[in-house]
Amino acid sequence: MKQTQEPAYRVLTGPEGLLPPAAAIMGIHLPEDGEGLVEGRIVPEEKAMEAAAIAMLTRKNPTLFPGPLMLWGWNEHTIEKSAPFFEVAREIPGVRIIPMPDYRPIYPKIDPEAVINPCHPNLTIWHNKIEACVFIGVHCHFANITLKMIRAGTNCYTIALCAEAGHEDAMASVPQFTAEKLKNFAETLKRVKKNGIKPLYEGQGIIPSGWAQIAGLTGVEAVKPEEEMVEAGFAHDLEKGLDENEE
Amino acid sequence: MSEGLGEEVKTNPQGDVITAAPAPTKEAKKGAAAQRVVDPDYLFLQAPREKTFITGSEAAKEAIRRANVDVAISYPITPQSETMQQVGYLYAEGYVKDYYRGEEEYGVMSAIAGASRSGVRCLSATAGPGLMRGLEVISSWPGGRLPAVLLIMCRVINAPLAIQPDNVELSYMLNTGCLLFHAENQQDFYDYALAAFMIGEKPEVTLPVAVAVDGFFVTHARGWVSLPAADIKLPPRDCYHEAVPMMDNENPPIRISRDAPIQKSNFISYQMHASWQQEIWAAQERSRKWIERWLGGLVEVVNPKAKIMIVASGAAVSQSREAVRQAAEQGIEVGLVKIKSVRPFPAEEVRAALDHAEKILVPEFNYVGWLAKEVKSTIRGSERVISGPRVFGGMSMPTELILEYIMGTPNRR
C-alpha cells in the first residue's frame, strides 16, 4: 500500500526506549525501487544515499556490518557486490568492518571487535562506541530485529542497504540494492566530500578491529597461527563459551 | 478377494481393499509437462479467463494446478478431504511434485514446516478439529518465517459433533501471526489461494498464509469461476530472496538457519525474542501492498454512503449481498463492507467505510462473534455495532434473519 499521508511516527536515532515499536506497525511504508527511506520518510534514492553518506562520514566510529549474504558468497549477486563493498569502505576514513557471519547466539559473550551478533547487537555498538553503521548482506528478518534493538538502546545511526524491499527500522535505507547501487554509494561518498562534508577521521584508512580484520586487511601477522584459526573456527569459540557458562 | 482372476488386489493393513482413481491418461500428464511459467501479474490480472461452473474444492484444485506446488501434505478431515483428494490427482498428473498423507494433523503441520524450511513451495489443508490438532505447530510457522499455504475449509469444532460449516476456528487463527484471508465463494477460493503463494513468499513478508472458506456452502457447492488457461503457472519459490535463509545442506554454514536465541534471564535476551515477534506483525503490515495489488484490496465496499452498513467475511458476504438487494426492494439503502483479509486486518479501510454509518450489523457463522469484536475494537463509536445476526452449529443464514436485524433487532431498539 502506497504511503498516502505523512505518518506521525519517525525513525530517529535512539536511544528510543526499552522496547520501541516496529516502524511498519507505526505506519511507515517501504519505498519502491528508485526511492529510499530517511527517518521513516520516503525520499528519492539519491537523497537516502546522501543522508547515509553524511552520517557515515561525520558520526563517530563508522562501521560496516556485512552479513552472511556478503560473507559466504551464496550466489552470483552477492559475489559481484564484494568488490564495490571495498570501494565504499575506502571512501569512509576511519571505517571499521565488523562482520555478522552467522545468526547463532554467542554466549556467554561475543568478542565485540570481531563480530556483531543479532542476539545482542547493542554490545558491539556500545563497546566500539559506534554512532553510524551500514547493514549489508544481512537477511531481512535478522536485519530488522537487530535494527530495532540498536534503535532501542543506542545512539547509532543505522543504514540498511538491502537487496530486497528495504527496512523501515533503519534511519536510512535503500531497497533493491544492487552492485551498481553500491558503486553509486561510493560515488555519493566522494560527491558529498567534494561538496564540503569533512570526514571526522580524515586521513585514516580502514581501522582494523578483531583478529580477522588484523589478519585480512592490514597484512599484520594473525594473532594465532593460521592453521590453528582454521581448526578452531567459529564453532569452537561457541562451544567453549557454552561450556563455561553452563547453567 | 479376487483370487483366481489373476489380478493382485492391494489392501491396507486392516485388509480393506484400497481403491484408487484411474491412472492419469497420457494426455493429462502431458498437460503438466507443457505448463509454462508466467509472471504473477499476468496470471492474476491479465491472462484471459473462461467461466466454468465448479465446486469450491474444484476451484482450489484449479488454483493448485497453476501454483507450481512442490510439496502437498495432508490428513483427511471433512470437508477438506475432497480437495486434497483432488490434489492427489494433480500429483498423479505431475502438477504437484510430492504428495503424501501425514500420520495426523500435528505431523502434517510439522512436516510442512520442515518442507518450507528447505525452500520449497508447500501446501496443506484442514478443517475444524484438524485445525485444532495442528494449531500448536501452525502457530510456530510465522516465527520460523515459513511461507506455506494452509487452506481451511471451516466446520464445526466438537462437541457436539457436527461436520457442517461454522467458522469459529478462525478466531483461533487470528493471533497466530499467519496471514488470514476469508473467501466468500468459489471464485475467491481460487483467487485467494493462488495469490497466497506469491504474497507469503515476498521477501519482506515471508509468512504462512491461511485461506479460509466456509465448508460445504462453498466447498461442496458449485459456482461460476473464471479461470485462466491451465497451461500457465506461477514461477517457482525463490527461496534465496526471502527474509530468512533456508536450510541448505550444500552451502555453509548449515546452521546459519533459524536457531532460537538462547534465553538467558536478562532483559536483552528477551528483547531479541520480543523484537522477533514484532517483526512477524511488521511483516503482516508489509503484505498489504501485495494484497492490494493482487486481490484488489483488503475490503470491497458496496453502497458506501448508506447509513446502515453490514460488515461480513466469508459466505456471510453472499447472504448479506442478497439482504442488501432485498432491503433495496423495500426502499431501504444498506451498504456492505466485505472483509477479504482478516489478517492483516483492514483497520484503516473499515474505519473509513463506517465513519458515517448509524447502524452497523456484523452477520457471522459462529457463536463467538470474532468479526464483530474486531470491528468494535477498530472503529470510533463502537456502540453503533450490533453484533449479529449469528448462526452456528452448521446452520445456514436465511437472508430474512439479516433483514430482521436491518429493520430492528427483535427485542431490541
Side-chain angles (χ1 to χ4, degrees), chain B residues 99-351:
Chain B
Y99 175 74
Y100 68 91
R101 193 186 81 173
E103 59 271 50
E104 34 66 50
E105 287 84 357
Y106 196 97
V108 166
M109 304 311 166
S110 303
I112 285 288
S116 183
R117 273 173 194 264
S118 73
V120 300
R121 184 166 292 157
C122 311
L123 167 82
S124 189
T126 190
L131 180 81
M132 294 296 102
R133 184 157 178 82
L135 196 60
E136 181 188 347
V137 187
I138 293 166
S139 302
S140 77
W141 290 351
R145 303 298 298 270
L146 302 172
V149 169
L150 176 67
L151 303 179
I152 303 173
M153 289 75 156
C154 297
R155 67 169 265 192
V156 167
I157 293 174
N158 299 354
L161 177 67
I163 57 166
Q164 287 299 309
D166 178 330
N167 57 39
V168 72
E169 63 208 294
L170 300 188
S171 65
Y172 293 88
M173 287 296 295
L174 294 177
N175 301 313
T176 57
C178 295
L179 302 187
L180 176 60
F181 306 153
H182 199 179
E184 174 191 350
N185 50 30
Q186 292 83 355
Q187 181 73 59
D188 279 0
F189 204 31
Y190 167 82
D191 288 331
Y192 294 6
L194 194 55
F197 288 103
M198 284 290 108
I199 294 169
E201 290 170 17
K202 280 283 155 192
E204 67 272 32
V205 181
T206 317
L207 283 178
V209 187
V211 181
V213 72
D214 294 301
F216 294 106
F217 296 156
V218 180
T219 56
H220 287 55
R222 287 179 190 275
W224 287 105
V225 181
S226 291
L227 296 174
D231 65 349
I232 53 175
K233 63 179 174 181
L234 291 174
R237 180 173 164 191
D238 188 0
C239 57
Y240 281 91
H241 292 276
E242 284 174 2
V244 284
M246 81 305 301
M247 282 193 303
D248 184 343
N249 291 341
E250 292 177 9
N251 280 297
I254 296 163
R255 280 194 57 206
I256 206 167
S257 204
R258 277 150 280 189
D259 282 17
I262 291 176
Q263 299 291 327
K264 295 276 175 176
S265 300
N266 60 52
F267 184 85
I268 197 71
S269 294
Y270 286 105
Q271 190 185 26
M272 199 269 183
H273 196 282
S275 300
W276 191 300
Q277 288 197 23
Q278 286 178 300
E279 181 49 17
I280 294 161
W281 295 96
Q284 284 224 348
E285 291 303 307
R286 296 184 204 115
S287 70
R288 288 174 187 272
K289 170 182 164 182
W290 301 105
I291 301 170
E292 295 269 359
R293 180 166 172 156
W294 288 326
L295 300 187
L298 284 77
V299 298
E300 175 198 333
V301 183
V302 176
N303 295 341
K305 291 181 181 167
K307 299 285 182 199
I308 301 173
M309 296 293 288
I310 297 174
V311 184
S313 68
V317 176
S318 291
Q319 266 86 358
S320 299
R321 284 187 201 279
E322 178 58 13
V324 167
R325 191 191 65 78
Q326 290 175 9
E329 280 180 352
Q330 297 179 41
I332 304 168
E333 194 189 27
V334 178
L336 169 65
V337 180
K338 167 180 171 173
I339 308 284
K340 301 180 189 179
S341 169
V342 185
R343 285 290 180 273
F345 192 71
E348 244 176 70
E349 292 89 337
V350 167
R351 270 195 293 272

Side-chain angles (χ1 to χ4, degrees), chain A residues 107-108 236-247:
Chain A
Y107 270 91
H236 174 77
D237 293 343
L238 177 67
E239 282 165 28
K240 193 176 159 195
L242 287 171
D243 291 341
E244 278 174 2
N245 205 39
E246 200 172 2
E247 286 182 344

Side-chain angles (χ1 to χ4, degrees), chain A:
Chain A
M1 193 161 66
K2 195 77 183 161
Q3 197 161 290
T4 49
Q5 55 185 34
E6 194 85 328
Y9 190 74
R10 303 203 66 186
V11 184
L12 301 174
T13 312
E16 185 170 332
L18 292 174
L19 192 59
I25 299 290
M26 302 306 286
I28 308 295
H29 293 266
L30 289 172
E32 299 291 336
D33 194 10
E35 298 174 332
L37 270 179
V38 174
E39 298 182 346
R41 301 290 183 272
I42 289 174
V43 298
E45 181 181 285
E46 58 271 22
K47 289 283 171 201
M49 288 225 211
E50 213 170 273
I54 292 169
M56 288 298 281
L57 291 169
T58 59
R59 296 178 69 87
K60 283 184 189 167
N61 299 318
T63 305
L64 301 173
F65 293 132
L69 288 165
M70 284 288 288
L71 299 170
W72 295 98
W74 274 0
N75 52 35
E76 287 302 317
H77 170 71
T78 58
I79 292 165
E80 70 177 8
K81 272 183 172 176
S82 53
F85 172 79
F86 284 104
E87 273 180 45
V88 167
R90 275 192 290 274
E91 293 303 326
I92 307 168
V95 77
R96 290 163 194 254
I97 303 174
I98 300 181
M100 183 185 279
D102 204 332
Y103 304 131
R104 291 176 290 170
I106 303 172
Y107 270 91
K109 59 183 181 182
I110 63 161
D111 176 351
E113 289 179 6
V115 291
I116 181 167
N117 186 266
C119 296
H120 29 52
N122 48 344
L123 298 183
T124 302
I125 306 280
W126 284 331
H127 176 86
N128 297 290
K129 299 181 173 55
I130 296 167
E131 294 191 1
C133 69
V134 167
F135 277 84
I136 186 164
V138 181
H139 287 88
C140 294
H141 171 76
F142 291 97
N144 272 332
I145 58 177
T146 305
L147 290 164
K148 270 196 276 289
M149 291 170 75
I150 293 173
R151 184 151 53 89
T154 82
N155 66 343
C156 184
Y157 188 100
T158 54
I159 297 152
L161 305 179
C162 177
E164 309 295 348
H167 295 268
E168 314 93 339
D169 290 293
M171 277 107 241
S173 182
V174 176
Q176 314 300 331
F177 212 80
T178 56
E180 200 54 43
K181 288 189 185 180
L182 202 49
K183 285 177 198 155
N184 288 347
F185 186 46
E187 291 304 315
T188 307
L189 285 157
K190 283 181 197 164
R191 194 178 66 244
V192 297
K193 283 189 280 187
K194 202 173 158 188
N195 289 346
I197 297 293
K198 189 174 157 46
L200 192 59
Y201 300 99
E202 186 80 73
Q204 295 185 39
I206 296 168
I207 295 183
S209 76
W211 58 262
Q213 298 301 322
I214 293 167
L217 292 179
T218 66
V220 174
E221 283 277 319
V223 288
K224 297 174 185 174
E226 203 168 327
E227 52 284 10
E228 192 188 321
M229 278 170 38
V230 172
E231 197 186 332
F234 201 70
H236 174 77
D237 293 343
L238 177 67
E239 282 165 28
K240 193 176 159 195
L242 287 171
D243 291 341
E244 278 174 2
N245 205 39
E246 200 172 2
E247 286 182 344

